[in-house]
Amino acid sequence: MSAEDLDAIEYLESTEDATDADVDDEIIFLDEPQEEDHEGEQDEGGAPWRGKGLLFRVMQKRNNQEATAAEWLELYDKCPSSALVRLMQLVVDASGNLYQIPPETKAPFQYGDILLTARQGLRCTSRSYSLYWRNGCTTARLSSFVRCLVKALDAKGHAGHVLKEFSAFVLVLSESEVRSFRYAGTLVGLKVMTGMLAADAVRATDLATIWNEMLSQLFVGRRLDIADSIRCLCCTELALWLATYPAVACQLASPHMHWLFEALADTSSKVRECCVLGISRVYGTEDFRVRLSCLSLVAKYKQCLLLVATADKEWVVSELALRLLAPLLRDSPDLWSEEEMATIEGLMLNQNRCVAQAAAAIFTQRHLSKEEDEISRIRRVVAFAERFPEYEHCAYLVDALIERSNVVLAWAPMVEMLLTGEEQQNEDGIIIDLLTRAVRQSITGAIPPGRYTKDLVRQEPIAGAKQTATQVLAPVMDRLLRKYEGNLASLSNLLELPQYFDHEAEEHTEHLPLLITWLQRILFPQQDVAVMRVAAETLKKVCVPSNWPDIRAILATAVNNYQVELSSWYAAASARATSRLMETLQLVAAFWRHFDLTKNELLGPVLQNLEQSLPTEDNDNDNDNGNALPRGTIPLYLEMCYYGLIWRLADKQKDAAANEDLKSSLTAVIRAAFKMIKLMPHSSFPYALTTICDLFLLFGRNQQQQSRDAPYVYVPTIREFELLEEHLMMHLFGAAPDQLHPEEVFELQKKRQALTGYCKIMSFNAVPIMRFRFILQHYDKYFDAFGDLMHAAMEKCLYLNATNYGMTLMHTGVLVFERVLRASGGSGVRAARAPEFADLLKLCKRLAKTLNTDRLRSRRGVVALHRAGILYAAQNMGHRLTRRPTVKLLFLRVLEVFVPQLLSQDKLAILQHLEENIPAELSSTCREGWGPLHRYRTALQLRLKFSRRQCTSPDPNLGHKLQQCVPHRSADGEAARHRLEDKQPTGSPTASGLLVKDEDSSPHHCPVDC
């Protein structure tokens, strides 16, 4: 047995723990279709039908299926055996097999011999062959042909003999161990059964017997098949029979309708989805008997259906189940108890928008009757919101109901409820929250943050919503503000409403002076930061030239108050003076975010106060030192400095002196922020880090690339990068993932906010992408908490520069690999067995998935990753035949994870690069220690063999090596094949000659479909 055979067997055996999904992923991404294989074979979607077969003709878009069936019938009249052979060949072709049944085959047919011969020619294809039939068009063409054929056979009187012979062949295929045969046999067999129902051919006793035999032998056996796709076929077809042909199917299949409900407990989400769709289709039929039978089974399996609707891990299945519950509850309102209905209605607060809207349809159907007045309906929504007092959920509730009911758009009744009667703090607060969220979403179309949608696209605003909100709310804003002035949460929501008014409407301009007066009255004695910020934003939105003098006076008053309170604090520092100083600082910061206060010359004094309030090297505790300002002012001063820099950057009339002043101010602010990170690592998190990241983004090198007129480009030092990353590591990755408790929402949000700031500067190329490796080394370990943020940044980095991104992934692996080596004392053997090395491989598998989104775009990055990784593994590697491998050779195990991401045309180049840097002759004298090299080379060669690229490498021996890479290509390969056969007696031969377990069992040793 050759060395290449041993390597291939060892590689395949070592991947025994690969799951079916892993194997599918590896094969699905094979490159372009191979031109040398059977010209004309590939049809739309890469389907495996040949140009001369019956299946090829049936699959043509403009084919007349009735004419095709008539031609087959003419052939049957002339030569029944040839016609049946052609029909059986259609099923073999549908399985993707290349075997051709000999045309001279005569009846009686030996179906087992045909199947056994076809297995010997099993094609080297992916197990995703069933994707060819998931296209509704291809399945519809096959179904149409079968219906036309059965109808023509019934009219000619040949249906009994032909269908008996053909069904026998289909039954043999449906019981095969080979999944492709089993799938094709089940598909065609079910379509034949459907065709018999459509042609009403089962009225004859002999045909009814054939149909029942196929039901008991094909359908009953395959509905419990191990393959998800085959179980889906059975569920879909059973529902089709009951819904489309109820008159006939009720007698034949109605006693078996419970099979559809039993499959609701299936482990596959696709099967559960097919079941829910099938039950919906059956219950939607007009036949009363079918509906009644279905409703009785729903009552029997109601708990299973409820579990699918409320707790299924797939949102699509939950949505479909909830849509099924609506008509069921309409016809039988008492199916579920009140507690169960409360659980269903609670899904209106679900993270998924489609699930929430499906639950909202049920809530609307049960509680929001059109006979009731609007106020009663609003009270029902408020009562639902009161059941969840611990959540801020009104935005989700409005989003679920806004397209299902107009109750959240009834703003006039809401205002009437607020202004009349005594104030009820809880109920009124919910009504105001609902009112504000509804006005915001109907006018802007913005979906609440955190709610998942299919396309993440902003919804279209509701026509006329802005005018309606202005007419209803603008005249009563002063009354609402007066009544709820003491309720901070309600006040904050009410202050947001004028932002969405039509500022040109007469109702708004008429009441605008009074609104500004109320804003001024609310702001200056205000202590709540949220109210300040909302009021400042509203003041900006309602700012027009006519009221600018009044707004300018408000801004000047805020600045003067701050300066007075600052002087008072210096004169006599006390708790009361500190509180007043903090209030004025918060108000100025809120105004500076929306208004340019540059003319007030605040940036210089604010920056000076910031530096004065910071601790020194000798006094870095949290206590105030000397006459320094209170520590609570530090985040406010830093925020004000940031706004001041932004407004200066936006100034279009800057001269050279202004640019120089901007440069010095920027450097001072960044220096101060880094000082906070160094001396106040805990109390300054995360605002200091996010401020630094935002400034890097605004003044980094990406600005120089986008605009040549950039006033100043700040270039961070290596030490600054290190400080930033050390600070991030300490707070994000200092604790184990299991210590990040979901209930500590505030702390987790702080960490995600900090990571978001760091990912932004990577995504927009503000700093070298290679620095990202320090964060990516934790990608797998902390995937649940931060994986979405890192993945979004990685996609952006890949789009910016694929080569740099590939090198970043390589250096990420090197960073962790060298840490594993150090922990193992420099021993490659101990490192390979260490749990940390297994974690590294898991990390690389997750990183490799980011390269699958766009194979062409990521091509350069994948090639760079492999080339650089080979050079790293080849360090200190001599070319003498007696040279022993170095410990870095183990890094080839890491590169092996990224082999599936290589395109076929690049695999030869990587093999040649490997041969140039680590020649195969180095391992020829001794196999000890060269395992990673053998595995990596074998993985590349097997990939190349399965993709069937021709060897055009200048290395004259490389083509021969590729021919020898799979055991069946050599004489010793037969021994290797029998070796595997002895280990797996239930196996079946593959196109590569390796014998693997039955394809329905796991694990698979060969990445080729059986």
Side-chain angles (χ1 to χ4, degrees):
M1 184 180 296
S2 65
E4 287 83 1
D5 294 342
L6 291 172
D7 293 340
I9 295 172
E10 180 183 356
Y11 174 76
L12 292 173
E13 289 178 344
S14 65
T15 58
E16 289 185 359
D17 58 342
T19 63
D20 291 352
D22 294 333
V23 178
D24 278 342
D25 288 343
E26 293 178 355
I27 301 300
I28 285 173
F29 291 108
L30 288 180
D31 312 281
E32 65 270 28
Q34 305 303 316
E35 300 82 10
E36 69 272 17
D37 287 336
H38 304 278
E39 183 177 357
E41 174 186 342
Q42 300 291 337
D43 192 35
E44 57 184 76
W49 18 83
R50 276 168 290 285
K52 296 183 180 180
L54 179 60
L55 183 63
F56 177 81
R57 183 168 180 182
V58 169
M59 289 298 121
Q60 299 303 306
K61 294 182 179 179
R62 299 182 180 179
N63 181 56
N64 187 331
Q65 307 295 0
E66 293 182 354
T68 304
E71 291 179 10
W72 185 90
L73 200 57
E74 291 178 5
L75 177 62
Y76 180 80
D77 291 335
K78 297 177 182 179
C79 183
S81 295
S82 298
L84 288 172
V85 166
R86 196 176 185 198
L87 198 59
M88 290 188 293
Q89 186 65 50
L90 177 144
V91 188
V92 176
D93 291 346
S95 69
N97 194 278
L98 295 179
Y99 174 69
Q100 290 289 310
I101 304 175
E104 62 274 10
T105 306
K106 302 296 183 181
F109 302 105
Q110 300 297 323
Y111 304 124
D113 294 342
I114 294 174
L115 179 60
L116 183 61
T117 308
R119 287 181 59 171
Q120 303 303 321
L122 188 64
R123 187 179 182 189
C124 177
T125 56
S126 166
R127 292 188 307 166
S128 61
Y129 62 88
S130 58
L131 292 174
Y132 303 139
W133 296 106
R134 291 182 188 177
N135 184 353
C137 296
T138 57
T139 306
R141 291 170 197 157
L142 179 64
S143 180
S144 175
F145 168 72
V146 172
R147 283 199 305 269
C148 293
L149 181 62
V150 173
K151 183 178 180 181
L153 288 171
D154 188 49
K156 285 277 190 177
H158 299 322
H161 178 261
V162 173
L163 292 180
K164 183 177 181 180
E165 287 285 345
F166 187 55
S167 63
F169 178 70
V170 168
L171 287 173
V172 171
L173 254 70
S174 68
E175 296 174 355
S176 171
E177 295 179 355
V178 181
R179 184 177 302 186
S180 57
F181 286 157
R182 205 163 62 249
Y183 184 91
T186 304
L187 174 65
V188 177
L190 292 175
K191 293 304 177 184
V192 169
M193 297 175 70
T194 304
M196 294 172 69
L197 292 177
D200 200 17
V202 292
R203 65 184 183 279
T205 305
D206 55 341
L207 295 181
T209 303
I210 294 174
W211 199 93
N212 285 321
E213 288 179 355
M214 296 185 71
L215 179 69
S216 60
Q217 298 181 33
L218 185 145
F219 183 89
V220 174
R222 299 282 65 81
R223 75 182 184 90
L224 300 176
D225 195 279
I226 194 171
D228 300 346
S229 54
I230 296 177
R231 300 201 301 275
C232 285
L233 283 178
C234 296
C235 294
T236 303
E237 214 67 19
L238 176 60
L240 175 66
W241 299 337
L242 295 170
T244 310
Y245 314 108
V248 182
C250 270
Q251 302 176 0
L252 298 173
S254 181
H256 311 295
M257 190 188 296
H258 65 277
W259 289 339
L260 206 57
F261 287 85
E262 289 176 357
L264 288 172
D266 197 280
T267 56
S268 170
S269 61
K270 289 297 181 183
V271 177
R272 296 195 299 273
E273 181 179 349
C274 290
C275 290
V276 175
L277 286 172
I279 295 172
S280 301
R281 188 173 184 178
V282 171
Y283 193 72
T285 186
E286 296 180 357
D287 190 278
F288 176 74
R289 295 171 299 170
V290 175
R291 289 172 60 89
L292 188 60
S293 300
C294 186
L295 190 59
S296 63
L297 286 172
V298 168
K300 181 178 180 181
Y301 292 93
K302 63 179 183 178
Q303 294 302 323
C304 188
L305 189 58
L306 178 66
L307 187 64
V308 172
T310 58
D312 198 281
K313 62 181 180 180
E314 295 294 334
W315 283 332
V316 175
V317 181
S318 292
E319 177 192 354
L320 294 173
L322 287 171
R323 291 186 177 182
L324 169 62
L325 296 187
L328 293 173
L329 288 168
R330 182 184 61 242
D331 297 338
S332 182
D334 300 328
L335 268 176
W336 286 277
S337 64
E338 286 299 322
E339 292 78 8
E340 292 169 336
M341 290 308 305
T343 303
I344 295 174
E345 293 168 357
L347 293 176
M348 287 195 291
L349 307 181
N350 191 274
Q351 183 183 2
N352 185 275
R353 190 169 194 257
C354 295
V355 172
Q357 289 181 334
I362 296 176
F363 180 83
T364 302
Q365 176 181 297
R366 295 185 72 238
H367 300 293
L368 304 182
S369 173
K370 294 183 179 180
E371 288 75 15
E372 293 182 327
D373 61 332
E374 292 290 351
I375 293 180
S376 300
R377 300 170 69 201
I378 292 171
R379 293 193 186 280
R380 290 184 179 271
V381 177
V382 172
F384 173 83
E386 287 179 334
R387 285 160 39 191
F388 304 92
E390 66 274 18
Y391 302 112
E392 297 179 2
H393 53 270
C394 284
Y396 277 18
L397 183 57
V398 168
D399 181 57
L401 289 170
I402 197 167
E403 296 180 8
R404 297 293 181 268
S405 173
N406 60 355
V407 64
V408 294
L409 301 178
W411 300 331
M414 290 185 186
V415 171
E416 180 183 351
M417 294 173 67
L418 293 172
L419 294 178
T420 59
E422 296 294 330
E423 178 180 352
Q424 300 179 6
Q425 185 173 355
N426 190 26
E427 179 178 324
D428 290 359
I430 293 175
I431 294 175
I432 292 174
D433 202 0
L434 291 171
L435 173 64
T436 305
R437 309 292 183 175
V439 169
R440 178 198 300 167
Q441 183 162 347
S442 61
I443 294 175
T444 65
I447 298 173
R451 173 147 279 182
Y452 175 83
T453 60
K454 292 180 179 179
D455 48 14
L456 298 178
V457 176
R458 182 185 292 263
Q459 303 298 306
E460 290 294 328
I462 299 177
K466 179 178 286 190
Q467 290 73 21
T468 302
T470 306
Q471 294 173 0
V472 173
L473 298 173
V476 297
M477 277 305 301
D478 59 325
R479 297 170 59 190
L480 291 173
L481 292 174
R482 182 183 296 108
K483 183 174 182 178
Y484 297 99
E485 185 178 1
N487 189 330
L488 294 179
S490 298
L491 181 62
S492 180
N493 284 325
L494 290 173
L495 289 174
E496 184 182 348
L497 290 173
Q499 299 177 17
Y500 310 110
F501 290 171
D502 184 0
H503 302 309
E504 298 179 358
E506 181 178 353
E507 293 85 355
H508 178 61
T509 55
E510 179 182 353
H511 298 88
L512 187 56
L514 185 58
L515 175 63
I516 294 177
T517 302
W518 266 103
L519 288 173
Q520 184 175 7
R521 173 181 172 179
I522 292 171
L523 276 170
F524 285 105
Q526 189 56 243
Q527 299 179 358
D528 188 77
V529 179
V531 173
M532 290 182 187
R533 292 182 176 179
V534 173
E537 185 177 0
T538 300
L539 202 61
K540 176 65 176 179
K541 293 291 181 66
V542 302
C543 179
V544 294
S546 60
N547 59 31
W548 173 240
D550 297 333
I551 294 177
R552 186 166 52 191
I554 294 175
L555 299 177
T557 303
V559 174
N560 290 334
N561 288 350
Y562 157 67
Q563 293 172 343
V564 169
E565 295 298 338
L566 181 62
S567 301
S568 300
W569 187 89
Y570 276 121
S574 63
R576 181 174 179 78
T578 301
S579 175
R580 290 199 302 266
L581 176 62
M582 293 289 293
E583 292 173 10
T584 56
L585 261 178
Q586 291 166 352
L587 184 57
V588 173
F591 278 138
W592 210 345
R593 181 175 184 175
H594 301 285
F595 296 94
D596 185 5
L597 302 181
T598 305
K599 294 182 180 180
N600 297 85
E601 299 294 338
L602 283 176
L603 182 56
V606 165
L607 182 55
Q608 183 179 359
N609 292 337
L610 173 62
E611 294 173 344
Q612 181 183 352
S613 60
L614 292 177
T616 61
E617 296 282 351
D618 299 330
N619 186 16
D620 56 352
N621 53 38
D622 289 337
N623 297 323
D624 298 343
N625 58 341
N627 294 323
L629 288 168
R631 293 289 176 84
T633 61
I634 293 178
L636 294 173
Y637 277 130
L638 184 62
E639 181 182 2
M640 293 167 69
C641 290
Y642 174 74
Y643 295 144
L645 292 173
I646 290 178
W647 284 111
R648 286 201 178 184
L649 181 64
D651 186 6
K652 302 297 183 181
Q653 300 179 355
K654 295 190 295 290
D655 53 13
N659 285 336
E660 190 64 27
D661 184 47
L662 175 61
K663 175 180 178 180
S664 60
S665 300
L666 172 65
T667 305
V669 173
I670 293 178
R671 227 175 255 163
F674 273 111
K675 189 175 181 181
M676 294 181 205
I677 287 178
K678 186 177 180 181
L679 301 180
M680 306 163 50
H682 297 286
S683 58
S684 65
F685 183 82
Y687 64 87
L689 186 143
T690 55
T691 301
I692 293 172
C693 292
D694 289 342
L695 292 177
F696 282 177
L697 187 62
L698 290 172
F699 296 92
R701 62 178 186 172
N702 58 318
Q703 294 300 319
Q704 191 176 30
Q705 297 170 357
Q706 296 175 5
S707 175
R708 295 182 178 179
D709 299 330
Y712 174 62
V713 175
Y714 184 84
V715 181
T717 64
I718 298 297
R719 181 54 187 160
E720 288 178 339
F721 283 135
E722 292 174 350
L723 280 174
L724 204 63
E725 289 153 1
E726 289 171 3
H727 187 63
L728 199 62
M729 297 284 184
M730 178 179 66
H731 288 281
L732 266 65
F733 310 120
D738 54 358
Q739 295 179 3
L740 297 175
H741 302 295
E743 58 270 14
E744 298 177 358
V745 178
F746 181 69
E747 289 298 322
L748 183 59
Q749 283 299 104
K750 286 170 60 177
K751 295 179 179 181
R752 288 176 59 86
Q753 182 183 356
L755 183 59
T756 301
Y758 186 82
C759 289
K760 280 194 298 185
I761 61 177
M762 293 296 169
S763 302
F764 293 95
N765 201 25
V767 297
I769 297 177
M770 201 72 70
R771 307 293 309 183
F772 206 15
R773 67 186 186 275
F774 297 104
I775 301 299
L776 292 184
Q777 63 178 319
H778 303 286
Y779 180 52
D780 180 68
K781 189 176 180 181
Y782 293 85
F783 183 80
D784 292 338
F786 310 117
D788 55 337
L789 301 178
M790 296 188 199
H791 185 78
M794 286 189 283
E795 285 185 339
K796 186 68 174 178
C797 292
L798 176 62
Y799 178 81
L800 289 174
N801 192 317
T803 303
N804 285 354
Y805 179 68
M807 292 298 295
T808 302
L809 297 188
M810 179 265 176
H811 280 281
T812 302
V814 169
L815 185 67
V816 182
F817 177 74
E818 292 184 344
R819 187 166 63 243
V820 174
L821 281 182
R822 288 193 299 269
S824 303
S827 171
V829 176
R830 286 198 295 269
R833 297 172 180 173
E836 293 79 5
F837 187 75
D839 294 338
L840 170 60
L841 296 181
K842 286 177 56 181
L843 168 66
C844 292
K845 287 181 180 179
R846 197 178 287 277
L847 292 174
K849 291 181 180 180
T850 63
L851 299 168
N852 293 335
T853 54
D854 191 336
R855 297 291 303 281
L856 291 179
R857 183 180 295 278
S858 62
R859 177 185 178 184
R860 292 179 180 272
V862 176
V863 172
L865 184 151
H866 280 272
R867 287 183 174 275
I870 291 172
L871 291 176
Y872 173 79
Q875 285 181 357
N876 304 322
M877 185 76 68
H879 288 273
R880 293 174 298 170
L881 297 181
T882 58
R883 184 71 175 177
R884 293 186 60 81
T886 63
V887 292
K888 291 187 178 180
L889 192 71
L890 183 61
F891 190 73
L892 293 179
R893 290 284 306 277
V894 177
L895 292 184
E896 182 188 327
V897 176
F898 295 93
V899 170
Q901 281 66 42
L902 279 170
L903 299 185
S904 292
Q905 51 266 43
D906 297 325
K907 294 168 188 170
L908 284 172
I910 296 301
L911 273 171
Q912 183 179 0
H913 185 67
L914 179 66
E915 186 72 18
E916 292 173 354
N917 291 274
I918 312 178
E921 290 77 8
L922 287 176
S923 60
S924 60
T925 57
C926 179
R927 293 177 60 87
E928 183 180 356
W930 295 96
L933 175 61
H934 296 314
R935 288 177 57 92
Y936 182 54
R937 183 189 291 116
T938 304
L940 287 169
Q941 291 171 343
L942 287 175
R943 283 283 161 194
L944 194 58
K945 177 58 63 177
F946 294 149
S947 61
R948 291 172 294 184
R949 286 294 288 194
Q950 294 296 321
C951 181
T952 58
S953 170
D955 182 1
N957 297 321
L958 188 56
H960 177 69
K961 294 172 185 175
L962 294 180
Q963 294 298 324
Q964 298 291 331
C965 71
V966 182
H968 84 292
R969 295 297 186 188
S970 65
D972 291 338
E974 273 306 303
R977 187 176 71 82
H978 289 299
R979 172 189 166 192
L980 292 180
E981 185 176 6
D982 293 338
K983 294 172 60 176
Q984 305 168 75
T986 61
S988 57
T990 70
S992 64
L994 290 174
L995 206 60
V996 302
K997 291 184 180 180
D998 181 81
E999 83 291 351
D1000 290 338
S1001 61
S1002 181
H1004 289 268
H1005 299 284
C1006 181
V1008 186
D1009 179 38
C1010 307

mmCIF file of all heavy atoms in Angstrom, residues 97 139 213 222 263 273 338 518 538 577 608 789 803 842 860 985:
data_model
loop_
_atom_site.group_PDB
_atom_site.id
_atom_site.type_symbol
_atom_site.label_atom_id
_atom_site.label_comp_id
_atom_site.label_asym_id
_atom_site.label_seq_id
_atom_site.Cartn_x
_atom_site.Cartn_y
_atom_site.Cartn_z
ATOM 1 N N ASN A 97 -28.102 9.372 -10.803
ATOM 2 C CA ASN A 97 -27.181 8.292 -11.143
ATOM 3 C C ASN A 97 -26.947 8.265 -12.642
ATOM 4 O O ASN A 97 -27.836 8.563 -13.430
ATOM 5 C CB ASN A 97 -27.772 6.955 -10.674
ATOM 6 C CG ASN A 97 -26.751 5.849 -10.671
ATOM 7 O OD1 ASN A 97 -26.464 5.250 -11.689
ATOM 8 N ND2 ASN A 97 -26.182 5.592 -9.499
ATOM 9 N N THR A 139 -40.522 20.029 -9.708
ATOM 10 C CA THR A 139 -41.462 19.058 -9.141
ATOM 11 C C THR A 139 -42.822 19.149 -9.823
ATOM 12 O O THR A 139 -43.477 18.124 -10.062
ATOM 13 C CB THR A 139 -41.618 19.295 -7.630
ATOM 14 O OG1 THR A 139 -40.329 19.294 -7.023
ATOM 15 C CG2 THR A 139 -42.466 18.223 -6.989
ATOM 16 N N GLU A 213 -51.642 -0.654 -1.802
ATOM 17 C CA GLU A 213 -50.355 -1.307 -1.597
ATOM 18 C C GLU A 213 -49.224 -0.286 -1.523
ATOM 19 O O GLU A 213 -48.314 -0.408 -0.693
ATOM 20 C CB GLU A 213 -50.092 -2.302 -2.730
ATOM 21 C CG GLU A 213 -50.955 -3.549 -2.658
ATOM 22 C CD GLU A 213 -50.667 -4.485 -3.815
ATOM 23 O OE1 GLU A 213 -49.872 -4.106 -4.710
ATOM 24 O OE2 GLU A 213 -51.249 -5.596 -3.849
ATOM 25 N N ARG A 222 -41.790 5.174 4.423
ATOM 26 C CA ARG A 222 -40.959 6.356 4.181
ATOM 27 C C ARG A 222 -41.354 7.560 5.045
ATOM 28 O O ARG A 222 -40.578 8.495 5.189
ATOM 29 C CB ARG A 222 -41.017 6.760 2.708
ATOM 30 C CG ARG A 222 -40.497 5.692 1.773
ATOM 31 C CD ARG A 222 -38.977 5.610 1.717
ATOM 32 N NE ARG A 222 -38.314 5.216 2.922
ATOM 33 C CZ ARG A 222 -38.179 3.950 3.343
ATOM 34 N NH1 ARG A 222 -38.700 2.951 2.660
ATOM 35 N NH2 ARG A 222 -37.534 3.684 4.468
ATOM 36 N N ALA A 263 -46.370 13.879 13.152
ATOM 37 C CA ALA A 263 -45.101 14.425 12.677
ATOM 38 C C ALA A 263 -44.808 15.808 13.256
ATOM 39 O O ALA A 263 -43.715 16.331 13.041
ATOM 40 C CB ALA A 263 -45.087 14.495 11.155
ATOM 41 N N GLU A 273 -42.347 22.116 9.738
ATOM 42 C CA GLU A 273 -42.879 23.181 8.877
ATOM 43 C C GLU A 273 -43.824 22.603 7.827
ATOM 44 O O GLU A 273 -44.911 23.163 7.573
ATOM 45 C CB GLU A 273 -41.715 23.915 8.207
ATOM 46 C CG GLU A 273 -42.149 25.059 7.307
ATOM 47 C CD GLU A 273 -40.970 25.774 6.680
ATOM 48 O OE1 GLU A 273 -39.814 25.521 7.102
ATOM 49 O OE2 GLU A 273 -41.185 26.581 5.753
ATOM 50 N N GLU A 338 -57.540 29.633 29.263
ATOM 51 C CA GLU A 338 -57.144 31.037 29.334
ATOM 52 C C GLU A 338 -55.651 31.180 29.609
ATOM 53 O O GLU A 338 -54.998 32.079 29.091
ATOM 54 C CB GLU A 338 -57.951 31.753 30.416
ATOM 55 C CG GLU A 338 -59.397 32.019 30.042
ATOM 56 C CD GLU A 338 -59.521 32.907 28.809
ATOM 57 O OE1 GLU A 338 -58.704 33.846 28.662
ATOM 58 O OE2 GLU A 338 -60.425 32.663 27.986
ATOM 59 N N TRP A 518 -42.967 76.182 27.449
ATOM 60 C CA TRP A 518 -43.030 75.011 28.313
ATOM 61 C C TRP A 518 -41.684 74.281 28.372
ATOM 62 O O TRP A 518 -41.266 73.795 29.424
ATOM 63 C CB TRP A 518 -44.131 74.067 27.820
ATOM 64 C CG TRP A 518 -45.437 74.306 28.521
ATOM 65 C CD1 TRP A 518 -46.528 74.957 28.050
ATOM 66 C CD2 TRP A 518 -45.745 73.903 29.858
ATOM 67 N NE1 TRP A 518 -47.524 74.996 28.990
ATOM 68 C CE2 TRP A 518 -47.075 74.346 30.114
ATOM 69 C CE3 TRP A 518 -45.071 73.225 30.855
ATOM 70 C CZ2 TRP A 518 -47.720 74.120 31.328
ATOM 71 C CZ3 TRP A 518 -45.708 72.992 32.075
ATOM 72 C CH2 TRP A 518 -47.006 73.437 32.288
ATOM 73 N N THR A 538 -35.908 67.930 21.028
ATOM 74 C CA THR A 538 -37.158 68.518 20.554
ATOM 75 C C THR A 538 -36.967 69.984 20.209
ATOM 76 O O THR A 538 -37.486 70.484 19.200
ATOM 77 C CB THR A 538 -38.244 68.359 21.627
ATOM 78 O OG1 THR A 538 -38.436 66.979 21.900
ATOM 79 C CG2 THR A 538 -39.549 68.980 21.174
ATOM 80 N N ALA A 577 -23.571 72.578 46.109
ATOM 81 C CA ALA A 577 -22.919 73.240 44.971
ATOM 82 C C ALA A 577 -22.524 72.213 43.906
ATOM 83 O O ALA A 577 -22.652 72.473 42.699
ATOM 84 C CB ALA A 577 -21.697 74.010 45.454
ATOM 85 N N GLN A 608 -9.658 72.282 29.879
ATOM 86 C CA GLN A 608 -8.833 72.577 31.052
ATOM 87 C C GLN A 608 -9.457 71.988 32.317
ATOM 88 O O GLN A 608 -8.755 71.406 33.160
ATOM 89 C CB GLN A 608 -8.663 74.089 31.189
ATOM 90 C CG GLN A 608 -7.757 74.504 32.343
ATOM 91 C CD GLN A 608 -7.603 76.018 32.425
ATOM 92 O OE1 GLN A 608 -8.169 76.757 31.609
ATOM 93 N NE2 GLN A 608 -6.858 76.484 33.398
ATOM 94 N N LEU A 789 -21.688 41.137 16.917
ATOM 95 C CA LEU A 789 -20.909 42.350 16.675
ATOM 96 C C LEU A 789 -19.616 42.028 15.925
ATOM 97 O O LEU A 789 -19.258 42.717 14.961
ATOM 98 C CB LEU A 789 -20.585 43.038 18.000
ATOM 99 C CG LEU A 789 -21.787 43.455 18.856
ATOM 100 C CD1 LEU A 789 -21.309 44.074 20.165
ATOM 101 C CD2 LEU A 789 -22.676 44.433 18.106
ATOM 102 N N THR A 803 -7.422 40.362 1.260
ATOM 103 C CA THR A 803 -6.085 39.844 1.578
ATOM 104 C C THR A 803 -5.714 40.147 3.021
ATOM 105 O O THR A 803 -5.226 39.274 3.760
ATOM 106 C CB THR A 803 -5.044 40.447 0.630
ATOM 107 O OG1 THR A 803 -5.415 40.150 -0.732
ATOM 108 C CG2 THR A 803 -3.668 39.883 0.901
ATOM 109 N N LYS A 842 -11.803 24.619 16.898
ATOM 110 C CA LYS A 842 -13.196 25.087 16.898
ATOM 111 C C LYS A 842 -13.280 26.552 16.512
ATOM 112 O O LYS A 842 -14.160 26.965 15.750
ATOM 113 C CB LYS A 842 -13.806 24.883 18.285
ATOM 114 C CG LYS A 842 -14.139 23.440 18.629
ATOM 115 C CD LYS A 842 -14.678 23.319 20.041
ATOM 116 C CE LYS A 842 -15.881 24.201 20.252
ATOM 117 N NZ LYS A 842 -16.410 24.107 21.639
ATOM 118 N N ARG A 860 -8.911 35.863 -2.497
ATOM 119 C CA ARG A 860 -7.554 36.362 -2.243
ATOM 120 C C ARG A 860 -7.174 36.172 -0.778
ATOM 121 O O ARG A 860 -6.035 35.829 -0.452
ATOM 122 C CB ARG A 860 -7.455 37.843 -2.613
ATOM 123 C CG ARG A 860 -7.570 38.113 -4.106
ATOM 124 C CD ARG A 860 -7.476 39.607 -4.378
ATOM 125 N NE ARG A 860 -7.593 39.905 -5.796
ATOM 126 C CZ ARG A 860 -6.560 39.929 -6.638
ATOM 127 N NH1 ARG A 860 -5.337 39.691 -6.194
ATOM 128 N NH2 ARG A 860 -6.738 40.209 -7.915
ATOM 129 N N PRO A 985 -19.271 -3.257 7.992
ATOM 130 C CA PRO A 985 -19.896 -4.286 7.157
ATOM 131 C C PRO A 985 -21.186 -3.842 6.522
ATOM 132 O O PRO A 985 -21.642 -4.459 5.584
ATOM 133 C CB PRO A 985 -20.131 -5.433 8.153
ATOM 134 C CG PRO A 985 -20.182 -4.771 9.490
ATOM 135 C CD PRO A 985 -19.245 -3.615 9.402
#
